Amino acid sequence: MKSHFIVVLFVALFQVRADGEGTPAPGPVPANVAESLRDTFGDSVKIVPVNIVLTDSEKAVIGRISTSPFADDTLRIFTCGSADTVAGYGILDNVMGKSRFITFLLSVGPDGAVAGVDILVYRESHGGEISNSAFRRQFIGRKAGDPMTPGRDIRTISGATISSRAVTAGVSKLLAAFALTRGRIR
Amino acid sequence: MRSHPAIFFSGDFHPAFFQPFPRVFFRIVCVFSMLSAFSSAGARAQTVEATTIGGYGELHYNDADGSPRGSLDFHRLVLYVGHTFDEELSFYSEIELEHTRIEAGADEGGEIAIEQAYLDWRFAGTTGLRAGIVLIPVGFINEHHEPPTFNGVERPNVDKTIIPTTWREAGLGLYGKFGEGVSFQAYLVAGLEAPGFSGSGGIRGGRQEGFRSDPVNPSFTGRVDWFADPSVRIGTSCFVGNTTGGNAAMGSGTLLLWSGDVHFTSGGLSLRGTGAVEFLSDASKINDAMRDGTGALTTMIADRMYGYYLEAAYDVLPLVAPGTTRSLSLFGRYEKYNTQAAVTGFVTDPRNDRNEITVGATFKPTYNTAFKLDYQFLNNAADLNSNMLNAGIGFFFN
């Protein structure tokens, strides 16, 4: 029996999974991205991935607006809607937690306001409570430039302060990037 | 004689009280692993490995009333080193230097210690297995002890004496969530050693800290947190295990520690409370077994110990500087703890029945840096009271 358990542990150790993180767009829409966007904008929306490559000057502006540097060159956007209307947009990004990346999806309505925030992959061993809807709901309705000071405008979670702040900074950064590049989304 | 660490995998545990438990726990871990093996099939791997570093530190100035002068001590400098192997597997560690240096032959000095060093295998969504030197998830400060995250230059004394932070042991276990808003941790770890207990220091001296740890007292520790709202966190935690290593003269020395903690924030207001109670069976046998050659007691270990504290803080800086991202919290904390709340075979020492009040301020230019100042009224039931002025800085980064 003992050897059986050890064999099972080894089998399980060699299984790995990574849903939706690091997928370059355009390309297939990751399943968890599609699921989140359809939860927000409706089951019938068509999701089209769009790559927006940021210029250095755009990244500098985003950094000033959000006080959070934009390390990546590419903004990974997913346009949601039908042939003639846009229901909203999704923006996929990573932010650094205490020691590992947190993959999250920001959903933005046509008015530029946050429609939802979803934590797609949380890799840290502590602080996963930022996935709770009570925390994520705080962002809904906020737009680029709105105050989002952690601990004041956004309540951080006790024991998950770093993750709470990281996601708050990430949302602020993506809203600024979206506002700046929206005209380039086709 | 020390047992080989492979005892964690053999199911051959001692003593009788805990024999069935580790096997059950180990099998639960294996079932989770098996479920993961099936659920993960067909998924793709992340191939990029990465190493991250960070750290925290704190400098203290302590000045007791009546002493000719205070002292400055860089109490801790801790280096985080983490590594991501793939999407699910990572390593995390904290290496600590206390009191700035260690020196061969010196009577006084600091220590270099590993506070954490574990492999973390997040095998099923939010559920994972952790193995190595792990923090005992009892109380709040033990797991979240970066200096800017708590008020006061020194950690609360309840979190030193009743919950002996930074408490870590070698072991393995599971963590995860029960639906939304409830998280858990459960570990099987090397236990405490009763010969290290004392009447004034409680269980603190019984920690093994992963240093050639003897697994003869396998112990369970667990924690459940409920996040009702981002403003409210309510946690309960426990540690239970035998402490005598099967020494028949000492009995089993089963320790049960039960703790609860609550955090509430609203606007600039922050409230914290932590309480813990410890029950130790066979304390009188342990004391008897440790009598000296003349038959005199050398330890006065209690059957029961407890402690709690309540703290209120308010960030006043926005009142005078609206829109600031900095904070200045004024706080007050009341602590009550007794390492000899109930004893057998001797008279308690009233100096171990303590109550303390700490008032002070924490200025945080950023969320991860702090300048601290406080004053403590340290009282005990023997009326041998003292006061202490403390100042310090603290920081963490990642």
Side-chain angles (χ1 to χ4, degrees):
Chain A
M1 183 61 76
K2 178 177 64 179
S3 60
H4 169 72
F5 286 139
I6 292 174
V7 168
V8 167
L9 272 175
F10 270 92
V11 169
L13 271 167
F14 284 96
Q15 305 298 316
V16 289
R17 177 179 54 196
D19 291 337
E21 192 281 323
T23 304
V29 180
N32 48 6
V33 170
E35 182 182 352
S36 175
L37 291 174
R38 291 199 166 102
D39 281 348
T40 304
F41 298 118
D43 287 337
S44 61
V45 295
K46 182 183 177 187
I47 302 170
V48 179
V50 181
N51 253 0
I52 298 290
V53 178
L54 298 168
T55 65
D56 288 344
S57 60
E58 285 175 330
K59 289 200 288 187
V61 171
I62 294 165
R64 279 199 300 274
I65 295 173
S66 65
T67 68
S68 180
F70 207 103
D72 200 355
D73 286 335
T74 305
L75 199 58
R76 287 170 291 180
I77 297 179
F78 302 87
T79 304
C80 305
S82 59
D84 51 358
T85 61
V86 174
Y89 306 87
I91 313 172
L92 182 65
D93 198 17
N94 292 310
V95 287
M96 179 56 88
K98 187 170 184 178
S99 63
R100 306 196 69 187
F101 282 113
I102 301 165
T103 302
F104 74 106
L105 181 73
L106 173 69
S107 299
V108 182
D111 59 352
V114 174
V117 174
D118 219 349
I119 308 300
L120 297 185
V121 187
Y122 189 84
R123 302 172 181 81
E124 301 269 16
S125 53
H126 293 84
E129 293 75 23
I130 60 166
S131 297
N132 296 350
S133 59
F135 173 74
R136 294 182 289 111
R137 273 199 304 267
Q138 298 181 91
F139 297 100
I140 291 177
R142 296 181 188 267
K143 294 184 176 180
D146 284 353
M148 274 186 269
T149 303
R152 300 250 167 81
D153 309 300
I154 300 293
R155 291 171 294 164
T156 56
I157 296 176
S158 179
T161 308
I162 294 173
S163 295
S164 301
R165 298 185 71 94
V167 170
T168 302
V171 170
S172 172
K173 178 184 71 178
L174 291 189
L175 283 174
F178 178 75
L180 197 64
T181 61
R182 185 173 180 179
R184 294 165 56 194
I185 302 172
R186 298 285 182 267
Chain B
M1 190 184 76
R2 290 180 183 275
S3 302
H4 190 277
I7 194 169
F8 282 132
F9 298 94
S10 71
D12 182 19
F13 292 91
H14 183 84
F17 177 83
F18 269 88
Q19 270 194 350
F21 179 74
R23 291 182 184 180
V24 171
F25 185 85
F26 181 68
R27 286 172 187 179
I28 290 171
V29 170
C30 290
V31 168
F32 267 89
S33 306
M34 191 162 55
L35 289 172
S36 168
F38 290 118
S39 67
S40 298
R44 79 186 162 82
Q46 175 179 307
T47 55
V48 178
E49 296 195 30
T51 301
T52 54
I53 63 167
Y56 73 86
E58 52 189 330
L59 170 69
H60 296 176
Y61 173 75
N62 306 111
D63 188 357
D65 277 6
S67 66
R69 64 184 67 86
S71 66
L72 283 161
D73 181 31
F74 206 104
H75 195 144
R76 296 181 179 87
L77 183 63
V78 176
L79 180 68
Y80 308 142
V81 179
H83 186 81
T84 299
F85 297 98
D86 63 26
E87 186 70 7
E88 297 179 345
L89 263 173
S90 63
F91 169 78
Y92 184 76
S93 67
E94 290 186 13
I95 303 162
E96 175 185 55
L97 171 60
E98 282 200 346
H99 309 299
T100 74
R101 67 178 185 181
I102 52 174
E103 193 172 327
D107 291 336
E108 294 184 356
E111 65 172 16
I112 294 177
I114 295 175
E115 280 197 345
Q116 300 182 63
Y118 58 79
L119 277 175
D120 193 306
W121 174 31
R122 192 184 51 82
F123 56 75
T126 56
T127 305
L129 180 150
R130 194 172 292 155
I133 297 176
V134 297
L135 292 177
I136 303 302
V138 170
F140 185 79
I141 294 282
N142 198 54
E143 286 194 289
H144 307 281
H145 46 244
E146 287 84 351
T149 64
F150 61 88
N151 288 308
V153 174
E154 302 289 343
R155 296 175 185 177
N157 280 320
V158 168
D159 282 312
K160 291 181 180 177
T161 309
I162 302 300
I163 301 171
T165 64
T166 306
W167 189 4
R168 67 275 191 184
E169 297 291 353
L172 85 169
L174 297 167
Y175 64 89
K177 297 176 75 174
F178 296 121
E180 183 171 286
V182 180
S183 62
F184 73 90
Q185 298 177 64
Y187 303 107
L188 181 65
V189 297
L192 294 164
E193 293 185 323
F197 297 169
S198 72
S200 60
I203 63 173
R204 186 174 185 84
R207 299 173 302 172
Q208 299 196 76
E209 302 178 338
F211 177 70
R212 295 178 180 171
S213 290
D214 190 338
V216 73
N217 294 315
S219 299
F220 171 80
T221 182
R223 176 178 183 87
V224 175
D225 280 297
W226 177 47
F227 298 84
D229 180 271
S231 303
V232 182
R233 172 183 179 137
I234 300 171
T236 184
S237 48
C238 72
F239 184 97
V240 59
N242 297 337
T243 62
T244 58
N247 183 333
M250 292 184 174
S252 65
T254 304
L255 176 81
L256 168 63
L257 186 165
W258 200 276
S259 179
D261 50 271
V262 179
H263 293 230
F264 171 77
T265 56
S266 178
L269 178 67
S270 171
L271 303 174
R272 282 189 179 193
T274 294
V277 61
E278 297 165 0
F279 301 93
L280 179 65
S281 71
D282 301 319
S284 62
K285 286 185 180 177
I286 295 168
N287 289 325
D288 286 342
M290 296 179 67
R291 288 177 186 270
D292 63 16
T294 67
L297 283 172
T298 61
T299 59
M300 295 184 178
I301 302 166
D303 303 306
R304 181 166 58 85
M305 298 160 257
Y306 74 88
Y308 63 85
Y309 63 87
L310 301 166
E311 179 186 294
Y314 195 84
D315 177 11
V316 298
L317 203 55
L319 302 177
V320 294
T324 182
T325 57
R326 297 172 178 172
S327 69
L328 175 61
S329 293
L330 306 181
F331 75 94
R333 181 172 65 230
Y334 174 78
E335 295 185 72
K336 169 79 175 172
Y337 58 104
N338 189 345
T339 50
Q340 288 182 326
V343 301
T344 302
F346 60 92
V347 178
T348 60
D349 183 341
R351 291 175 299 179
N352 295 321
D353 181 3
R354 290 159 275 194
N355 68 84
E356 301 172 356
I357 295 172
T358 305
V359 293
T362 304
F363 173 61
K364 294 168 70 172
T366 64
Y367 78 101
N368 52 357
T369 57
F371 293 83
K372 301 179 175 183
L373 181 68
D374 66 61
Y375 196 76
Q376 294 185 294
F377 303 88
L378 309 171
N379 307 319
N380 59 48
D383 282 334
L384 297 170
N385 304 328
S386 61
N387 300 335
M388 178 90 81
L389 174 70
N390 305 297
I393 62 166
F395 60 87
F396 71 90
F397 58 92
N398 58 294

